[in-house]
Amino acid sequence: MDVRGARVLVTGATGGIGRELARALAAHGCRVTVTGRRADVLKALAEQIGGTAVPADLTDRDALASLAAGAGEIDILVANAATAAFGPLQECSVAEIDRALDVNLRAPIVLGRLVGARMARRGSGHLVFVSSLWGKAATRQASLYNATKFGLRGFAQALREDLRPYGVGVSAVFPGFVRDVGLVADAEVPLPRWIGTRSAQDVARATLKAIRRDLGEVDVAPAWLRVAAAFGAALPGPAIVAQRRIAAPITAALVRHHRGPR
C-alpha cells in the first residue's frame, strides 16, 4: 500500500508510542486524525503534524461509533491505545478488569468492525493492531494484560483472513521492551543491558513496513527476544520456568509502579 495521501486514524495518540506513530505517518504524507483522552495534548500534536484531533475515551462504549463517524473515511486504522493491567488477578477489581478489556481489546475490535466494513465496501484499506510480545508469551503477574494482548493477536490473525478477499490488509505489531516511552519506560524499570530494547521510532518504522508490505505480523525486538517469544508460544510450560528469572523481575517492577508496593 502506498501511504502517501492516505487518511489515517491513530488511537492512543497522547501516549509516547502513539505520538511517534502519528508523526511518522504524517512525515510520510498521510492525513492523520489522532485520538486520545487528553484533549490539550492531542490538540498540540495535531497542530504539530498538520492533522485533526478527535478526543475520545475508549472506555465509553457509546463513543466508539461517534469516533469512527467523526474521523470520516479512513484508509488506515492504527489501533494503538492500551492501558496497563498488571498484578495478581485476585487483587484486580472488576472495574479494572473491565477497563483493560475495553481499552486493550474491545475498542480495537469494535473500531476494526466499523472502519473495516467501510474499507471492505471500497475494496481497499489497512488495519493495524499494536499488541505486544506479552501477547505471545505469558508472564507471572500479567494475566490480565496477557489476556488482552493474546486476544488482540488472535483477532488480528482471523480478521486478516476474513478481509483478504476484499482487498483489505490486517497487521499486528508486537513491540518488546521500548526504552524511551511506554509501560517499561514510564515505570523506570531497570533493564539489564543484555536484554535489548527498541525505540518508539523503531515501532513506527515497523508499523509503516507492515502497512506497505501487507505483513501479517511484525515483531519489534532483538532476535533473541523474538525467538524467546516464539518459544513461549510453542512451549508455554518450559517458557514460564525460564521467565521466572528473566521477565518476572521486570513484571514485578511494573506491578509496583502501577499498583504500589506489595
Side-chain angles (χ1 to χ4, degrees):
M1 181 177 183
D2 185 355
V3 301
R4 289 174 298 178
R7 298 158 295 186
V8 184
L9 174 62
V10 179
T11 72
T14 54
I17 291 176
R19 286 196 300 270
E20 288 303 325
L21 287 166
R23 289 168 180 157
L25 289 159
H28 283 79
C30 297
R31 292 175 284 170
V32 183
T33 297
V34 290
T35 186
R37 290 186 301 151
R38 293 179 287 171
D40 54 338
V41 178
L42 205 64
K43 181 180 178 182
L45 174 63
E47 291 174 351
Q48 181 186 85
I49 65 174
T52 304
V54 182
D57 183 351
L58 298 186
T59 64
D60 180 354
R61 296 189 170 192
D62 294 331
L64 297 176
S66 298
L67 172 61
E73 288 297 315
I74 296 298
D75 300 305
I76 300 169
L77 168 67
V78 181
N80 163 74
T83 187
F86 295 98
L89 185 62
Q90 64 270 23
E91 294 182 8
C92 298
S93 68
V94 173
E96 289 174 317
I97 293 171
D98 287 341
R99 176 174 175 75
L101 292 172
D102 279 347
V103 176
N104 297 5
L105 188 57
R106 185 182 186 276
I109 290 174
V110 173
L111 288 174
R113 176 188 180 277
L114 295 171
V115 176
R118 297 205 298 262
M119 291 179 177
R121 286 194 293 270
R122 295 198 312 266
S124 66
H126 204 98
L127 305 171
V128 180
F129 300 96
V130 181
S131 182
S132 165
L133 285 188
W134 264 293
K136 291 189 174 185
T139 305
R140 180 176 175 268
Q141 297 195 80
S143 59
L144 181 54
Y145 193 72
N146 283 145
T148 62
K149 293 303 187 177
F150 269 70
L152 195 59
R153 183 191 189 194
F155 169 68
Q157 285 182 346
L159 186 63
R160 178 177 174 84
E161 186 61 18
D162 289 346
L163 293 180
R164 181 182 57 81
Y166 300 95
V168 178
V170 179
S171 301
V173 178
F174 299 85
F177 297 109
V178 179
R179 59 178 168 267
D180 45 355
V181 296
L183 295 175
V184 173
D186 291 345
E188 298 182 345
V189 177
L191 296 174
R193 289 180 179 271
W194 52 264
I195 205 163
T197 60
R198 292 292 183 264
S199 68
Q201 290 85 356
D202 291 329
V203 179
R205 282 191 288 268
T207 301
L208 278 162
K209 177 181 176 181
I211 296 167
R212 286 169 164 162
R213 300 186 185 181
D214 188 22
L215 303 177
E217 293 191 351
V218 179
D219 292 342
V220 191
W224 83 266
L225 198 53
R226 298 196 301 269
V227 171
F231 174 67
L235 297 169
I240 283 288
V241 174
Q243 285 192 57
R244 286 172 189 163
R245 291 189 175 183
I246 298 173
I250 298 170
T251 310
L254 289 170
V255 173
R256 289 193 297 272
H257 175 74
H258 293 287
R259 306 189 64 81
R262 286 293 183 272

